[in-house]
Amino acid sequence: MDPYTSGPLRIEAEDIDAPGLPPEFASGDQLPGMMPRRTDIDAKQDQIARVLEAMDVEAALLLVPSHVSWFTSGMNVRGLLADSERPGIYTNGRQRWLLCSNVDTHRLFDEELDQLGFQLKEWSWETGRAELLMNVTTGRKVTSDRPFPNMPQISERLRPLLRVLSPFEQDAYRELGKIVAHAVEATARNFSFGQSEEELAGQVGHRLLHRGVEATAISITAENRGERFRRAGYTGSLVHHTCTIQATGQKDGLFATASRSVSLEAPPDDFRIAFEAAVKLAAVFRSTSRVGESMGTAKDSGALLVANTPFEFDWRLSQPGYGAGRFPAEELRRAAQYEPFSLGQAVVLQARTGPCSVVDTVLITDDGPEIITPANGWPFKRVSVLGQPFDIPDLLVRDD
């Protein structure tokens, strides 16, 4: 009995080859996409205003990078290492201020925030950020996303707001996903026999940076190394036969992840069998990526799929996926309970069996999962789960 085509899941597969803006920083030129972005920021400020009212406080202080990028709809903060020098946001729900060092003010307004309704509270690099934070919070009822004495926390109230991507963010996210998928696929198509995992990682990183995307994480697994290490990174190991390339890219504070697998010749039987299982597992994970379902649903459905196969215990070795969007990988369990998916939420799905993996990023929509990292000219399998078809990236067999 074929464990993949029997039972209730019915899996089948076929091969298919402002006001208050400092005038010295107002250039008068509109930034690309300024009005949609400003509308998005205004909507987020309104969301914060409702949170402030519910918490009975006057203002919010945001310092966590993911919160700052969310509120600014993608402000890029480049070249900073010290957390204490990172810019923040202060808002009372009616107005908004950028808190930043005098080292960064000019660039942030010139390249990121011009005409987006931000005012400025600046600290000198000589005195540091702490004094400014004390000045804006002393004598006021303020909430913060970082722990301060006698100050309530806002982070838990922000989590559901960050998790759901706005229409503006979704458009930017689709473009990011295409870039990440392209970088991975182009590397898989063009690397040479005998190159190392480190060399391939460099090629992926170059392709991402070439299109304005930062490489947050890269994983290259040559041959069967992925069977031993589910978070493999990359080493000096050489690629002679098979390889899986995975990357997480970041732009405008959004994160997307994709993987592709390639064989430089006809793949070994054990690798082919494991990859076919990963493809079907990926389809099952996508079928559960709907509003109200959860990673728990994906886990249980995946475990049912691989029962009585060589991979029946592989689900214990890694999670089926994570939250994405404003996070590279967000844990979607709280107090051992899986959190249900929301409309507009981004999720990374990772199907791993033996040495193989199939990883993509999806957006939860009313019509089911939308693939954010779509394959472009890449072979795929059309897999049917309960009568619904899903196109899953297949193993590319190169004939060089």
Side-chain angles (χ1 to χ4, degrees), residues 183-191 245 260-262 378 396 398:
V184 172
E185 292 177 0
T187 301
R189 287 189 178 103
N190 292 288
F191 74 86
I245 301 171
R260 299 291 186 264
S261 295
V262 61
W378 190 269
L396 173 67
R398 286 172 43 180

Side-chain angles (χ1 to χ4, degrees), residues 326-338:
R326 288 288 171 196
F327 304 92
E330 181 192 14
E331 172 66 71
L332 296 179
R333 286 184 301 179
R334 304 301 296 273
Q337 298 296 315
Y338 288 97

